[in-house]
Amino acid sequence: MADYAQSRSVRPVDGERPDPVERLDETTEALTQLHDAFTGEESLEDALQRVAETAARAVPDADAVTVSVVTDERPHTAAATDQRLVELDQKQYGSGRGPCLESALNLKPVRAVIGEHRDSWPEFEAAAENAGVRAYLSVPVVLPASDDSEARHIGTLNIYSYTAAAFDPFDEGLMRLFTTAASATITSAQRWQHSQGQVQQLERALGSRAVIDQAKGVLMAVHTCSADDAFALLVAESQRLNVKLRDVAAKLLESVTQPDEPA
């Protein structure tokens, strides 16, 4: 893997690292779980949480996984397998620097041992040391480029370990494989959530239309006027009160449907 973010110091060597074939099996099983759980009908929050939990099982020594979503407005942690380590993400957001932000900026994995970047990311390094974290691997989840769009960053998987020698280039390769599948899951959830939003907007619009039509009917009966004239009365009242047309119509219907109070 030629393009991962290399740390400046020599990483510790651990002869007890799991066999590459075993690690590949772990990731394959996690990918299978991610695929089997996919329904195509879940919120983005649920999809991100499932991605985080599955990623934690995909790499040996992954003690916690968070998912950072970096937008133009402000980055935030959208999912986590251990809420206690969300503070590590927040230290990066607050200072504007850290591995998850660098990974999002360069669209490349960032892997290092705690203590290797004290000068570059002092806030994150201090928080990680206090939490007992000894190594991390931040991997971007990217929607690949197509004929009509560039590659788009969706989020970043932040994998934390209490073992200094937890991650190596092979783990990075495995997580690249995992994030390819994760991007499809997240994108599908985004599309479903968007479609749900459109459905809700349509339902609200239809509901408003029904209320307005009923109010027009009431005004037509009371004033013996046309549908256009009744609508014009509603619009005039809406402008006079400076409230939404639907609210004017609803208030009118409420006034004519409430039972008369006893004298």
Side-chain angles (χ1 to χ4, degrees), residues 1-7 9-14 17-20 23-24 27 58-60 108-113 116 135-139 159 164-178:
M1 306 297 294
D3 57 351
Y4 60 79
Q6 190 80 6
S7 60
S9 60
V10 178
R11 293 180 57 81
V13 177
D14 184 355
R17 290 291 291 152
D19 180 80
R23 285 190 270 173
L24 180 59
T27 302
V59 178
K108 295 180 181 179
V110 175
R111 172 179 58 89
V113 172
E116 293 180 340
Y136 54 86
L137 172 61
S138 293
V139 186
I159 309 172
F167 311 123
D168 58 26
F170 189 77
D171 291 318
E172 293 180 17
L174 294 178
M175 290 313 298
R176 283 180 181 275
L177 176 65
F178 181 86

Side-chain angles (χ1 to χ4, degrees), residues 45-126:
E45 291 77 12
D46 289 343
L48 291 173
Q49 184 62 36
R50 183 157 55 81
V51 166
E53 292 171 355
T54 310
R57 295 192 292 269
V59 178
D61 294 324
D63 292 305
V65 176
T66 65
V67 181
S68 294
V69 176
V70 181
T71 65
D72 293 336
E73 298 176 359
R74 62 177 293 187
H76 67 281
T77 299
T81 62
D82 188 340
Q83 291 295 326
R84 293 173 299 178
L85 296 188
V86 172
E87 181 185 358
L88 274 62
D89 296 347
Q90 294 173 338
K91 289 293 184 180
Q92 298 179 68
Y93 310 150
S95 64
R97 53 189 177 183
C100 82
L101 299 180
E102 181 169 320
S103 177
L105 178 64
N106 298 321
L107 299 185
K108 295 180 181 179
V110 175
R111 172 179 58 89
V113 172
I114 296 301
E116 293 180 340
H117 295 277
R118 285 195 178 94
D119 293 338
S120 302
W121 311 322
E123 300 86 0
F124 166 76
E125 291 265 332

